[in-house]
Amino acid sequence: MNMLRKLQGSIDFGSTPAVEREELAGDVSDIMDALFEAMKKLPDS
């Protein structure tokens, strides 16, 4: 999970306007949460 958060933090939205940055950050967060939930369902190997 920490690696997912580091990935999320490393995404650079560049010169995107603040409103769009917030929206994109929310979308990225939703994707990261979905990935984490999917990863929890995978069997341990």
Side-chain angles (χ1 to χ4, degrees):
M1 181 65 179
N2 286 337
M3 289 173 44
L4 289 176
R5 294 295 172 205
K6 284 181 185 178
L7 174 63
Q8 180 181 7
S10 70
I11 295 173
D12 180 13
F13 298 115
S15 62
T16 306
V19 173
E20 289 182 38
R21 263 185 279 165
E22 286 183 29
E23 188 176 321
L24 288 170
D27 291 344
V28 169
S29 183
D30 292 344
I31 292 167
M32 293 297 178
D33 290 343
L35 280 172
F36 181 67
E37 290 302 316
M39 287 169 53
K40 289 193 319 188
K41 294 178 183 178
L42 293 173
D44 291 336
S45 44

